[in-house]
Amino acid sequence: VQLQASGGGLVQAGGSLRLSCAASGRTFSSYDMGWFRQAPGKEREFVAAISWSGGTTRYADSLKDRFTISRDNAKNTVYLLMNSLKPEDTAVYYCAAGFRATPVIDEYRYWGRGTLVTVSS
């Protein structure tokens, strides 16, 4: 499966963005999906994950009150809605596909190229 993240951009602190990750292939609904991010000079970190059915979601503890992950299997797309954005949310955001909705990076088999989110103060 090939993944393409989009929806990043420049936003002021307190604003919102919705990222999308479009997947190619007919097997999208078989995969659990995750969002990760990597800020400059930092390691890639877990943001959120969702099971293949959408019935289970997981979030980084520090983000669960502001971020929401969802998916539309009919559109082969997973979303990340980010509210009340802060400058520290600035990062490249990546989507990934795997067989477990987990925070563990190595559990994901396929990765998209990422989309840059910049939050200005």
Side-chain angles (χ1 to χ4, degrees), residues 8-69:
L10 176 64
V11 62
Q12 288 188 334
S16 298
L17 278 178
R18 189 179 76 159
L19 306 183
S20 300
C21 175
S24 64
R26 299 180 180 179
T27 59
F28 172 75
S29 60
S30 300
Y31 291 98
D32 295 341
M33 300 295 296
W35 284 99
F36 293 78
R37 69 183 185 183
Q38 188 165 16
K42 296 187 176 181
E43 295 186 351
R44 194 169 298 189
E45 64 175 359
F46 171 72
V47 174
I50 188 167
S51 62
W52 66 270
S53 67
T56 300
T57 56
R58 299 182 68 174
Y59 295 92
D61 287 343
S62 62
L63 300 176
K64 61 184 178 181
D65 292 335
R66 299 188 293 120
F67 289 14
T68 302
I69 190 171

